[in-house]
Amino acid sequence: LKKAYLETTGAFWHGGPELVTTIGDIDVEFNDYIATLSDGNGVKVEGIEVGPVNARAFYAWDKGQVGAAADANYAGIDLGAAVVTDGEDFEAAGTAGTEISGVRVTAEGAVDKNSNLAYKLTGETELMPNVTVKGSYRDSENFASENAKKDDGEPVAYDNHKGFNVGVATTQYGIDMEASYDQPTEKVAFSAEKEMELAGLNIKGEYDATYKKDQAIE
């Protein structure tokens, strides 16, 4: 037995909103920069709605941390915010995204307990039919949070680099293809995938290649 928790759905008071409350081993995925806990013990409450705002909160008693997050859409802009504190140290993050003249623009930002900043600006547009161009600029040098979302032990939202990334995606002959170049890491990536039917089975074929300066192609 690795995890145990009690979860219930219902209002905290008569006529109140239907909330989902979890007590015990909780998984928190409120923000990739500062509010992801996969091994916490505490209380999590989700589904707090106040007008257009949807909020959620947690208290991890083993870590002594309290956190909250909220999302809303205002005037066509998707907004998000999250905060985490242990009573002394404080971390916060925010996001905003909208579409401007056919370009999808997203901004992300966060500050860790040592006042180090991380931010990322991305844009994506369909340059011509079936051709999508993507670009981003980021800076997360010296940023670090113990509650960052990780994959194989590495944060997924930031990488302590500063620079730009450009890419293009298209579908040709039923093959989804994408290529990108990352300037601070000098990494070139290419991927292709296609779904097909073979002997009555649905098969998905994938190909991925990466290249870094002075390193062998993977």
Side-chain angles (χ1 to χ4, degrees):
L1 183 64
K2 295 183 178 180
K3 287 193 175 186
Y5 60 89
L6 172 66
E7 186 171 282
T8 181
T9 302
F12 280 7
W13 60 87
H14 182 69
E18 293 284 305
L19 306 178
V20 179
T21 305
T22 306
I23 302 174
D25 293 305
I26 58 174
D27 290 325
V28 177
E29 296 181 350
F30 290 177
N31 182 271
D32 290 350
Y33 285 88
I34 58 135
T36 298
L37 290 76
S38 59
D39 57 354
N41 294 304
V43 180
K44 180 176 65 172
V45 180
E46 300 173 285
I48 307 170
E49 295 186 1
V50 181
V53 178
N54 183 286
R56 48 216 181 273
F58 75 89
Y59 169 51
W61 55 61
D62 56 339
K63 294 178 177 290
Q65 293 179 333
V66 177
D71 299 302
N73 182 284
Y74 179 76
I77 302 176
D78 296 321
L79 300 171
V83 294
V84 176
T85 181
D86 60 4
E88 296 181 2
D89 296 322
F90 178 88
E91 296 187 332
T95 62
T98 190
E99 187 170 309
I100 304 173
S101 300
V103 180
R104 180 66 187 176
V105 181
T106 304
E108 307 171 11
V111 57
D112 65 17
K113 63 182 181 181
N114 296 314
S115 299
N116 295 312
L117 297 175
Y119 67 86
K120 183 177 182 181
L121 305 175
T122 62
E124 179 178 324
T125 186
E126 190 174 45
L127 189 63
M128 61 183 71
N130 198 28
V131 177
T132 299
V133 175
K134 307 175 183 180
S136 67
Y137 183 84
R138 69 186 185 279
D139 184 358
S140 58
E141 291 180 318
N142 301 318
F143 183 90
S145 173
E146 65 173 305
N147 294 330
K149 183 177 180 180
K150 294 181 175 63
D151 183 17
D152 291 332
E154 296 296 328
V156 300
Y158 61 91
D159 60 1
N160 293 124
H161 285 291
K162 178 180 181 179
F164 65 85
N165 182 288
V166 292
V168 61
T170 184
T171 300
Q172 301 293 335
Y173 304 103
I175 303 174
D176 298 324
M177 296 181 288
E178 184 167 348
S180 65
Y181 170 70
D182 190 68
Q183 175 263 327
T185 60
E186 296 187 304
K187 175 182 176 182
V188 177
F190 174 79
S191 65
E193 62 181 45
K194 178 180 174 63
E195 293 186 0
M196 65 194 81
E197 187 173 325
L198 183 65
L201 300 175
N202 291 322
I203 305 297
K204 184 178 182 181
E206 298 180 349
Y207 174 85
D208 295 282
T210 60
Y211 170 73
K212 284 187 177 183
K213 187 177 179 180
D214 300 326
Q215 293 186 16
I217 295 177
E218 294 183 1

